[in-house]
Amino acid sequence: RMIDPSFGSGHCLLGGFARLVDAWQHAEPGRNPRDIAQKALDAVAGVDLNPFAVAISRFRLLVAALQVAGVQRLADAPDFRIHVASGDSLIHGPRFGLAGPSAARNEPLFDDAQSRADQGLAHAYATEDLAQVQQILGRQYHAVVGNPPYIVVRDAALNAAYRNRYASCHRQYSLGCPFTERFFELAVTGDGGAVAVEVGT
């Protein structure tokens, strides 16, 4: 399974989907193409704060799945499950494998967030799909990929929330710092977990 916690246009999600489809088609050439499409969709997940990016990526993944399934008309489309949601990967979801400063700094925010997971979290936007975001971020993945935004957070409350949660948020940090920390948390611990971060300029 793979996740892109800041997927933007969905390029990495589509690439992962295509590679998984190719692998399953070679491994099980007689399998129903619709099953292969859903199997590949179930193995990719993503979260992005921009609801427009989420809508575009959902549509792009749907079109890719329809092509794999050989479906020509939307009226004939299966009810594919697509695991992308609108939300802030830096704020929502549990933390995995924490030790040192991040663990100590995170506990109050994490406990507070967990106590309100079913009613909306602190710093949540109305456009966030909180239940689905919690589900997607509630596990670790074999591959964590992405191109995080390399911008400085101007909102004072959000900046403070990130600083409270991530040890890498020091001085005038860019979002590339906490996202890189988050990518490694979401990767399967020990053998089998891989992280690929595209470095912005």
Side-chain angles (χ1 to χ4, degrees), residues 71-107:
V71 176
Q72 307 265 328
R73 299 179 335 133
L74 280 176
D76 301 327
D79 187 18
F80 284 125
R81 295 179 308 278
I82 298 173
H83 307 281
V84 297
S86 176
D88 189 336
S89 296
L90 298 177
I91 293 290
H92 306 309
R95 308 287 302 277
F96 299 98
L98 288 180
S102 284
R105 290 165 64 177
N106 175 62
E107 285 306 317

PDB file of all heavy atoms in Angstrom, residues 71-107:
ATOM      1  N   VAL A  71     -14.543   0.104 -19.209  1.00  0.00           N
ATOM      2  CA  VAL A  71     -15.865   0.743 -19.181  1.00  0.00           C
ATOM      3  C   VAL A  71     -15.814   2.005 -20.043  1.00  0.00           C
ATOM      4  O   VAL A  71     -14.964   2.866 -19.835  1.00  0.00           O
ATOM      5  CB  VAL A  71     -16.279   1.086 -17.732  1.00  0.00           C
ATOM      6  CG1 VAL A  71     -17.612   1.840 -17.726  1.00  0.00           C
ATOM      7  CG2 VAL A  71     -16.373  -0.175 -16.894  1.00  0.00           C
ATOM      8  N   GLN A  72     -16.742   2.118 -20.986  1.00  0.00           N
ATOM      9  CA  GLN A  72     -16.738   3.231 -21.934  1.00  0.00           C
ATOM     10  C   GLN A  72     -17.692   4.362 -21.539  1.00  0.00           C
ATOM     11  O   GLN A  72     -17.528   5.485 -21.996  1.00  0.00           O
ATOM     12  CB  GLN A  72     -17.137   2.719 -23.326  1.00  0.00           C
ATOM     13  CG  GLN A  72     -16.304   1.548 -23.804  1.00  0.00           C
ATOM     14  CD  GLN A  72     -15.156   1.979 -24.678  1.00  0.00           C
ATOM     15  OE1 GLN A  72     -15.255   2.961 -25.391  1.00  0.00           O
ATOM     16  NE2 GLN A  72     -14.062   1.248 -24.595  1.00  0.00           N
ATOM     17  N   ARG A  73     -18.711   4.048 -20.723  1.00  0.00           N
ATOM     18  CA  ARG A  73     -19.711   5.062 -20.371  1.00  0.00           C
ATOM     19  C   ARG A  73     -19.825   5.178 -18.856  1.00  0.00           C
ATOM     20  O   ARG A  73     -19.787   4.162 -18.157  1.00  0.00           O
ATOM     21  CB  ARG A  73     -21.080   4.683 -20.940  1.00  0.00           C
ATOM     22  CG  ARG A  73     -21.111   4.567 -22.451  1.00  0.00           C
ATOM     23  CD  ARG A  73     -22.480   4.156 -23.035  1.00  0.00           C
ATOM     24  NE  ARG A  73     -23.326   3.414 -22.119  1.00  0.00           N
ATOM     25  CZ  ARG A  73     -24.624   3.688 -21.915  1.00  0.00           C
ATOM     26  NH1 ARG A  73     -25.200   4.692 -22.538  1.00  0.00           N
ATOM     27  NH2 ARG A  73     -25.335   2.950 -21.086  1.00  0.00           N
ATOM     28  N   LEU A  74     -19.977   6.394 -18.369  1.00  0.00           N
ATOM     29  CA  LEU A  74     -20.128   6.612 -16.933  1.00  0.00           C
ATOM     30  C   LEU A  74     -21.359   5.898 -16.380  1.00  0.00           C
ATOM     31  O   LEU A  74     -21.361   5.451 -15.235  1.00  0.00           O
ATOM     32  CB  LEU A  74     -20.212   8.111 -16.619  1.00  0.00           C
ATOM     33  CG  LEU A  74     -18.887   8.873 -16.587  1.00  0.00           C
ATOM     34  CD1 LEU A  74     -19.134  10.354 -16.370  1.00  0.00           C
ATOM     35  CD2 LEU A  74     -17.966   8.331 -15.507  1.00  0.00           C
ATOM     36  N   ALA A  75     -22.394   5.766 -17.204  1.00  0.00           N
ATOM     37  CA  ALA A  75     -23.618   5.082 -16.774  1.00  0.00           C
ATOM     38  C   ALA A  75     -23.349   3.624 -16.432  1.00  0.00           C
ATOM     39  O   ALA A  75     -24.070   3.018 -15.636  1.00  0.00           O
ATOM     40  CB  ALA A  75     -24.682   5.176 -17.861  1.00  0.00           C
ATOM     41  N   ASP A  76     -22.306   3.049 -17.015  1.00  0.00           N
ATOM     42  CA  ASP A  76     -21.962   1.643 -16.770  1.00  0.00           C
ATOM     43  C   ASP A  76     -20.867   1.489 -15.718  1.00  0.00           C
ATOM     44  O   ASP A  76     -20.384   0.373 -15.476  1.00  0.00           O
ATOM     45  CB  ASP A  76     -21.484   0.981 -18.078  1.00  0.00           C
ATOM     46  CG  ASP A  76     -22.543   1.044 -19.171  1.00  0.00           C
ATOM     47  OD1 ASP A  76     -23.747   0.992 -18.836  1.00  0.00           O
ATOM     48  OD2 ASP A  76     -22.168   1.154 -20.354  1.00  0.00           O
ATOM     49  N   ALA A  77     -20.456   2.592 -15.113  1.00  0.00           N
ATOM     50  CA  ALA A  77     -19.322   2.554 -14.185  1.00  0.00           C
ATOM     51  C   ALA A  77     -19.667   1.809 -12.900  1.00  0.00           C
ATOM     52  O   ALA A  77     -20.731   2.026 -12.324  1.00  0.00           O
ATOM     53  CB  ALA A  77     -18.872   3.972 -13.848  1.00  0.00           C
ATOM     54  N   PRO A  78     -18.756   0.946 -12.457  1.00  0.00           N
ATOM     55  CA  PRO A  78     -18.943   0.319 -11.137  1.00  0.00           C
ATOM     56  C   PRO A  78     -18.783   1.375 -10.044  1.00  0.00           C
ATOM     57  O   PRO A  78     -18.249   2.449 -10.291  1.00  0.00           O
ATOM     58  CB  PRO A  78     -17.802  -0.706 -11.051  1.00  0.00           C
ATOM     59  CG  PRO A  78     -17.194  -0.775 -12.411  1.00  0.00           C
ATOM     60  CD  PRO A  78     -17.546   0.489 -13.124  1.00  0.00           C
ATOM     61  N   ASP A  79     -19.233   1.055  -8.863  1.00  0.00           N
ATOM     62  CA  ASP A  79     -19.102   1.978  -7.731  1.00  0.00           C
ATOM     63  C   ASP A  79     -17.726   1.794  -7.100  1.00  0.00           C
ATOM     64  O   ASP A  79     -17.583   1.213  -6.026  1.00  0.00           O
ATOM     65  CB  ASP A  79     -20.214   1.709  -6.715  1.00  0.00           C
ATOM     66  CG  ASP A  79     -20.232   2.749  -5.610  1.00  0.00           C
ATOM     67  OD1 ASP A  79     -19.632   3.827  -5.799  1.00  0.00           O
ATOM     68  OD2 ASP A  79     -20.816   2.477  -4.553  1.00  0.00           O
ATOM     69  N   PHE A  80     -16.697   2.293  -7.800  1.00  0.00           N
ATOM     70  CA  PHE A  80     -15.331   2.141  -7.309  1.00  0.00           C
ATOM     71  C   PHE A  80     -15.133   2.922  -6.015  1.00  0.00           C
ATOM     72  O   PHE A  80     -15.613   4.041  -5.879  1.00  0.00           O
ATOM     73  CB  PHE A  80     -14.324   2.657  -8.348  1.00  0.00           C
ATOM     74  CG  PHE A  80     -14.117   1.731  -9.522  1.00  0.00           C
ATOM     75  CD1 PHE A  80     -14.293   2.185 -10.818  1.00  0.00           C
ATOM     76  CD2 PHE A  80     -13.717   0.411  -9.328  1.00  0.00           C
ATOM     77  CE1 PHE A  80     -14.095   1.343 -11.903  1.00  0.00           C
ATOM     78  CE2 PHE A  80     -13.513  -0.437 -10.412  1.00  0.00           C
ATOM     79  CZ  PHE A  80     -13.694   0.029 -11.696  1.00  0.00           C
ATOM     80  N   ARG A  81     -14.400   2.322  -5.075  1.00  0.00           N
ATOM     81  CA  ARG A  81     -14.014   3.005  -3.837  1.00  0.00           C
ATOM     82  C   ARG A  81     -12.676   3.685  -4.081  1.00  0.00           C
ATOM     83  O   ARG A  81     -11.705   3.036  -4.479  1.00  0.00           O
ATOM     84  CB  ARG A  81     -13.882   2.008  -2.685  1.00  0.00           C
ATOM     85  CG  ARG A  81     -15.177   1.327  -2.298  1.00  0.00           C
ATOM     86  CD  ARG A  81     -14.978   0.333  -1.161  1.00  0.00           C
ATOM     87  NE  ARG A  81     -13.905  -0.636  -1.413  1.00  0.00           N
ATOM     88  CZ  ARG A  81     -14.061  -1.744  -2.139  1.00  0.00           C
ATOM     89  NH1 ARG A  81     -15.226  -2.016  -2.699  1.00  0.00           N
ATOM     90  NH2 ARG A  81     -13.033  -2.567  -2.307  1.00  0.00           N
ATOM     91  N   ILE A  82     -12.631   4.984  -3.835  1.00  0.00           N
ATOM     92  CA  ILE A  82     -11.408   5.759  -4.031  1.00  0.00           C
ATOM     93  C   ILE A  82     -11.029   6.381  -2.692  1.00  0.00           C
ATOM     94  O   ILE A  82     -11.841   7.054  -2.054  1.00  0.00           O
ATOM     95  CB  ILE A  82     -11.611   6.831  -5.125  1.00  0.00           C
ATOM     96  CG1 ILE A  82     -11.940   6.136  -6.450  1.00  0.00           C
ATOM     97  CG2 ILE A  82     -10.370   7.704  -5.255  1.00  0.00           C
ATOM     98  CD1 ILE A  82     -12.318   7.075  -7.570  1.00  0.00           C
ATOM     99  N   HIS A  83      -9.785   6.143  -2.268  1.00  0.00           N
ATOM    100  CA  HIS A  83      -9.354   6.505  -0.920  1.00  0.00           C
ATOM    101  C   HIS A  83      -8.522   7.792  -0.907  1.00  0.00           C
ATOM    102  O   HIS A  83      -7.334   7.779  -0.579  1.00  0.00           O
ATOM    103  CB  HIS A  83      -8.578   5.348  -0.306  1.00  0.00           C
ATOM    104  CG  HIS A  83      -9.328   4.052  -0.349  1.00  0.00           C
ATOM    105  ND1 HIS A  83     -10.331   3.745   0.540  1.00  0.00           N
ATOM    106  CD2 HIS A  83      -9.249   3.009  -1.203  1.00  0.00           C
ATOM    107  CE1 HIS A  83     -10.824   2.557   0.242  1.00  0.00           C
ATOM    108  NE2 HIS A  83     -10.181   2.093  -0.805  1.00  0.00           N
ATOM    109  N   VAL A  84      -9.166   8.887  -1.289  1.00  0.00           N
ATOM    110  CA  VAL A  84      -8.537  10.203  -1.169  1.00  0.00           C
ATOM    111  C   VAL A  84      -9.507  11.105  -0.412  1.00  0.00           C
ATOM    112  O   VAL A  84     -10.718  10.964  -0.536  1.00  0.00           O
ATOM    113  CB  VAL A  84      -8.159  10.827  -2.540  1.00  0.00           C
ATOM    114  CG1 VAL A  84      -7.122   9.975  -3.246  1.00  0.00           C
ATOM    115  CG2 VAL A  84      -9.359  11.026  -3.419  1.00  0.00           C
ATOM    116  N   ALA A  85      -8.948  12.014   0.388  1.00  0.00           N
ATOM    117  CA  ALA A  85      -9.801  12.851   1.224  1.00  0.00           C
ATOM    118  C   ALA A  85      -9.168  14.213   1.435  1.00  0.00           C
ATOM    119  O   ALA A  85      -7.952  14.377   1.333  1.00  0.00           O
ATOM    120  CB  ALA A  85     -10.029  12.168   2.577  1.00  0.00           C
ATOM    121  N   SER A  86     -10.025  15.176   1.756  1.00  0.00           N
ATOM    122  CA  SER A  86      -9.575  16.532   2.033  1.00  0.00           C
ATOM    123  C   SER A  86      -9.290  16.683   3.519  1.00  0.00           C
ATOM    124  O   SER A  86     -10.148  16.412   4.361  1.00  0.00           O
ATOM    125  CB  SER A  86     -10.661  17.530   1.609  1.00  0.00           C
ATOM    126  OG  SER A  86     -10.284  18.840   1.959  1.00  0.00           O
ATOM    127  N   GLY A  87      -8.051  17.091   3.826  1.00  0.00           N
ATOM    128  CA  GLY A  87      -7.690  17.279   5.220  1.00  0.00           C
ATOM    129  C   GLY A  87      -6.232  17.672   5.366  1.00  0.00           C
ATOM    130  O   GLY A  87      -5.483  17.699   4.388  1.00  0.00           O
ATOM    131  N   ASP A  88      -5.844  17.953   6.571  1.00  0.00           N
ATOM    132  CA  ASP A  88      -4.484  18.368   6.891  1.00  0.00           C
ATOM    133  C   ASP A  88      -3.735  17.177   7.494  1.00  0.00           C
ATOM    134  O   ASP A  88      -3.952  16.813   8.643  1.00  0.00           O
ATOM    135  CB  ASP A  88      -4.515  19.538   7.872  1.00  0.00           C
ATOM    136  CG  ASP A  88      -3.158  20.176   8.084  1.00  0.00           C
ATOM    137  OD1 ASP A  88      -2.135  19.497   7.860  1.00  0.00           O
ATOM    138  OD2 ASP A  88      -3.122  21.354   8.490  1.00  0.00           O
ATOM    139  N   SER A  89      -2.832  16.584   6.717  1.00  0.00           N
ATOM    140  CA  SER A  89      -2.069  15.418   7.174  1.00  0.00           C
ATOM    141  C   SER A  89      -1.170  15.733   8.352  1.00  0.00           C
ATOM    142  O   SER A  89      -0.757  14.832   9.082  1.00  0.00           O
ATOM    143  CB  SER A  89      -1.194  14.875   6.036  1.00  0.00           C
ATOM    144  OG  SER A  89      -1.984  14.397   4.988  1.00  0.00           O
ATOM    145  N   LEU A  90      -0.843  17.000   8.538  1.00  0.00           N
ATOM    146  CA  LEU A  90       0.043  17.383   9.637  1.00  0.00           C
ATOM    147  C   LEU A  90      -0.682  17.480  10.973  1.00  0.00           C
ATOM    148  O   LEU A  90      -0.062  17.363  12.028  1.00  0.00           O
ATOM    149  CB  LEU A  90       0.724  18.719   9.327  1.00  0.00           C
ATOM    150  CG  LEU A  90       1.637  18.742   8.102  1.00  0.00           C
ATOM    151  CD1 LEU A  90       2.173  20.145   7.877  1.00  0.00           C
ATOM    152  CD2 LEU A  90       2.766  17.735   8.245  1.00  0.00           C
ATOM    153  N   ILE A  91      -1.983  17.693  10.932  1.00  0.00           N
ATOM    154  CA  ILE A  91      -2.756  17.862  12.164  1.00  0.00           C
ATOM    155  C   ILE A  91      -3.518  16.593  12.531  1.00  0.00           C
ATOM    156  O   ILE A  91      -3.568  16.209  13.692  1.00  0.00           O
ATOM    157  CB  ILE A  91      -3.760  19.039  12.013  1.00  0.00           C
ATOM    158  CG1 ILE A  91      -3.017  20.367  11.898  1.00  0.00           C
ATOM    159  CG2 ILE A  91      -4.757  19.069  13.161  1.00  0.00           C
ATOM    160  CD1 ILE A  91      -2.342  20.824  13.162  1.00  0.00           C
ATOM    161  N   HIS A  92      -4.112  15.943  11.551  1.00  0.00           N
ATOM    162  CA  HIS A  92      -5.004  14.824  11.829  1.00  0.00           C
ATOM    163  C   HIS A  92      -4.288  13.480  11.793  1.00  0.00           C
ATOM    164  O   HIS A  92      -3.228  13.342  11.198  1.00  0.00           O
ATOM    165  CB  HIS A  92      -6.165  14.829  10.838  1.00  0.00           C
ATOM    166  CG  HIS A  92      -6.904  16.129  10.794  1.00  0.00           C
ATOM    167  ND1 HIS A  92      -7.381  16.749  11.925  1.00  0.00           N
ATOM    168  CD2 HIS A  92      -7.225  16.940   9.763  1.00  0.00           C
ATOM    169  CE1 HIS A  92      -7.972  17.884  11.586  1.00  0.00           C
ATOM    170  NE2 HIS A  92      -7.881  18.031  10.284  1.00  0.00           N
ATOM    171  N   GLY A  93      -4.904  12.498  12.423  1.00  0.00           N
ATOM    172  CA  GLY A  93      -4.360  11.150  12.454  1.00  0.00           C
ATOM    173  C   GLY A  93      -3.367  10.960  13.576  1.00  0.00           C
ATOM    174  O   GLY A  93      -2.758  11.914  14.061  1.00  0.00           O
ATOM    175  N   PRO A  94      -3.196   9.707  13.998  1.00  0.00           N
ATOM    176  CA  PRO A  94      -2.249   9.412  15.078  1.00  0.00           C
ATOM    177  C   PRO A  94      -0.811   9.548  14.605  1.00  0.00           C
ATOM    178  O   PRO A  94      -0.531   9.591  13.414  1.00  0.00           O
ATOM    179  CB  PRO A  94      -2.566   7.946  15.432  1.00  0.00           C
ATOM    180  CG  PRO A  94      -3.109   7.376  14.162  1.00  0.00           C
ATOM    181  CD  PRO A  94      -3.868   8.499  13.509  1.00  0.00           C
ATOM    182  N   ARG A  95       0.097   9.623  15.559  1.00  0.00           N
ATOM    183  CA  ARG A  95       1.536   9.647  15.267  1.00  0.00           C
ATOM    184  C   ARG A  95       2.077   8.249  15.518  1.00  0.00           C
ATOM    185  O   ARG A  95       1.682   7.584  16.471  1.00  0.00           O
ATOM    186  CB  ARG A  95       2.243  10.650  16.179  1.00  0.00           C
ATOM    187  CG  ARG A  95       1.647  12.048  16.188  1.00  0.00           C
ATOM    188  CD  ARG A  95       1.910  12.869  14.955  1.00  0.00           C
ATOM    189  NE  ARG A  95       3.309  13.060  14.653  1.00  0.00           N
ATOM    190  CZ  ARG A  95       4.093  13.990  15.195  1.00  0.00           C
ATOM    191  NH1 ARG A  95       3.603  14.801  16.104  1.00  0.00           N
ATOM    192  NH2 ARG A  95       5.355  14.098  14.839  1.00  0.00           N
ATOM    193  N   PHE A  96       2.999   7.807  14.680  1.00  0.00           N
ATOM    194  CA  PHE A  96       3.551   6.458  14.803  1.00  0.00           C
ATOM    195  C   PHE A  96       5.029   6.524  15.155  1.00  0.00           C
ATOM    196  O   PHE A  96       5.769   7.328  14.597  1.00  0.00           O
ATOM    197  CB  PHE A  96       3.401   5.703  13.485  1.00  0.00           C
ATOM    198  CG  PHE A  96       1.975   5.531  13.048  1.00  0.00           C
ATOM    199  CD1 PHE A  96       1.422   6.396  12.115  1.00  0.00           C
ATOM    200  CD2 PHE A  96       1.188   4.517  13.565  1.00  0.00           C
ATOM    201  CE1 PHE A  96       0.102   6.252  11.711  1.00  0.00           C
ATOM    202  CE2 PHE A  96      -0.127   4.368  13.166  1.00  0.00           C
ATOM    203  CZ  PHE A  96      -0.682   5.238  12.230  1.00  0.00           C
ATOM    204  N   GLY A  97       5.462   5.637  16.042  1.00  0.00           N
ATOM    205  CA  GLY A  97       6.872   5.475  16.342  1.00  0.00           C
ATOM    206  C   GLY A  97       7.554   6.710  16.879  1.00  0.00           C
ATOM    207  O   GLY A  97       8.710   6.961  16.570  1.00  0.00           O
ATOM    208  N   LEU A  98       6.851   7.498  17.659  1.00  0.00           N
ATOM    209  CA  LEU A  98       7.452   8.730  18.162  1.00  0.00           C
ATOM    210  C   LEU A  98       8.401   8.472  19.318  1.00  0.00           C
ATOM    211  O   LEU A  98       8.162   7.616  20.156  1.00  0.00           O
ATOM    212  CB  LEU A  98       6.363   9.693  18.639  1.00  0.00           C
ATOM    213  CG  LEU A  98       5.529  10.356  17.546  1.00  0.00           C
ATOM    214  CD1 LEU A  98       4.514  11.272  18.189  1.00  0.00           C
ATOM    215  CD2 LEU A  98       6.396  11.128  16.593  1.00  0.00           C
ATOM    216  N   ALA A  99       9.477   9.235  19.327  1.00  0.00           N
ATOM    217  CA  ALA A  99      10.420   9.216  20.436  1.00  0.00           C
ATOM    218  C   ALA A  99      11.050  10.594  20.520  1.00  0.00           C
ATOM    219  O   ALA A  99      11.035  11.344  19.548  1.00  0.00           O
ATOM    220  CB  ALA A  99      11.491   8.154  20.207  1.00  0.00           C
ATOM    221  N   GLY A 100      11.581  10.937  21.652  1.00  0.00           N
ATOM    222  CA  GLY A 100      12.283  12.204  21.790  1.00  0.00           C
ATOM    223  C   GLY A 100      11.360  13.401  21.812  1.00  0.00           C
ATOM    224  O   GLY A 100      10.218  13.319  22.253  1.00  0.00           O
ATOM    225  N   PRO A 101      11.838  14.569  21.295  1.00  0.00           N
ATOM    226  CA  PRO A 101      11.097  15.827  21.410  1.00  0.00           C
ATOM    227  C   PRO A 101       9.712  15.783  20.778  1.00  0.00           C
ATOM    228  O   PRO A 101       8.768  16.328  21.324  1.00  0.00           O
ATOM    229  CB  PRO A 101      11.992  16.838  20.680  1.00  0.00           C
ATOM    230  CG  PRO A 101      13.347  16.241  20.689  1.00  0.00           C
ATOM    231  CD  PRO A 101      13.151  14.762  20.675  1.00  0.00           C
ATOM    232  N   SER A 102       9.567  15.128  19.620  1.00  0.00           N
ATOM    233  CA  SER A 102       8.256  15.097  18.972  1.00  0.00           C
ATOM    234  C   SER A 102       7.229  14.415  19.844  1.00  0.00           C
ATOM    235  O   SER A 102       6.091  14.848  19.955  1.00  0.00           O
ATOM    236  CB  SER A 102       8.338  14.385  17.613  1.00  0.00           C
ATOM    237  OG  SER A 102       8.932  15.223  16.657  1.00  0.00           O
ATOM    238  N   ALA A 103       7.611  13.305  20.472  1.00  0.00           N
ATOM    239  CA  ALA A 103       6.674  12.578  21.326  1.00  0.00           C
ATOM    240  C   ALA A 103       6.245  13.445  22.502  1.00  0.00           C
ATOM    241  O   ALA A 103       5.069  13.544  22.823  1.00  0.00           O
ATOM    242  CB  ALA A 103       7.309  11.291  21.822  1.00  0.00           C
ATOM    243  N   ALA A 104       7.205  14.095  23.135  1.00  0.00           N
ATOM    244  CA  ALA A 104       6.900  14.918  24.300  1.00  0.00           C
ATOM    245  C   ALA A 104       6.037  16.106  23.929  1.00  0.00           C
ATOM    246  O   ALA A 104       5.095  16.448  24.617  1.00  0.00           O
ATOM    247  CB  ALA A 104       8.196  15.386  24.950  1.00  0.00           C
ATOM    248  N   ARG A 105       6.335  16.733  22.788  1.00  0.00           N
ATOM    249  CA  ARG A 105       5.605  17.935  22.391  1.00  0.00           C
ATOM    250  C   ARG A 105       4.226  17.608  21.844  1.00  0.00           C
ATOM    251  O   ARG A 105       3.334  18.434  21.849  1.00  0.00           O
ATOM    252  CB  ARG A 105       6.406  18.688  21.324  1.00  0.00           C
ATOM    253  CG  ARG A 105       7.664  19.310  21.884  1.00  0.00           C
ATOM    254  CD  ARG A 105       8.602  19.730  20.807  1.00  0.00           C
ATOM    255  NE  ARG A 105       8.042  20.773  19.986  1.00  0.00           N
ATOM    256  CZ  ARG A 105       8.699  21.358  19.001  1.00  0.00           C
ATOM    257  NH1 ARG A 105       9.933  20.993  18.728  1.00  0.00           N
ATOM    258  NH2 ARG A 105       8.128  22.305  18.290  1.00  0.00           N
ATOM    259  N   ASN A 106       4.036  16.377  21.384  1.00  0.00           N
ATOM    260  CA  ASN A 106       2.796  16.042  20.699  1.00  0.00           C
ATOM    261  C   ASN A 106       1.679  15.589  21.622  1.00  0.00           C
ATOM    262  O   ASN A 106       0.521  15.733  21.292  1.00  0.00           O
ATOM    263  CB  ASN A 106       3.069  14.933  19.675  1.00  0.00           C
ATOM    264  CG  ASN A 106       1.796  14.449  19.022  1.00  0.00           C
ATOM    265  OD1 ASN A 106       1.117  15.208  18.363  1.00  0.00           O
ATOM    266  ND2 ASN A 106       1.469  13.192  19.227  1.00  0.00           N
ATOM    267  N   GLU A 107       1.984  15.028  22.785  1.00  0.00           N
ATOM    268  CA  GLU A 107       0.979  14.353  23.575  1.00  0.00           C
ATOM    269  C   GLU A 107      -0.276  15.179  23.868  1.00  0.00           C
ATOM    270  O   GLU A 107      -1.383  14.703  23.656  1.00  0.00           O
ATOM    271  CB  GLU A 107       1.584  13.831  24.880  1.00  0.00           C
ATOM    272  CG  GLU A 107       2.452  12.607  24.688  1.00  0.00           C
ATOM    273  CD  GLU A 107       1.741  11.479  23.961  1.00  0.00           C
ATOM    274  OE1 GLU A 107       0.564  11.207  24.275  1.00  0.00           O
ATOM    275  OE2 GLU A 107       2.334  10.878  23.068  1.00  0.00           O
TER     276      GLU A 107
END
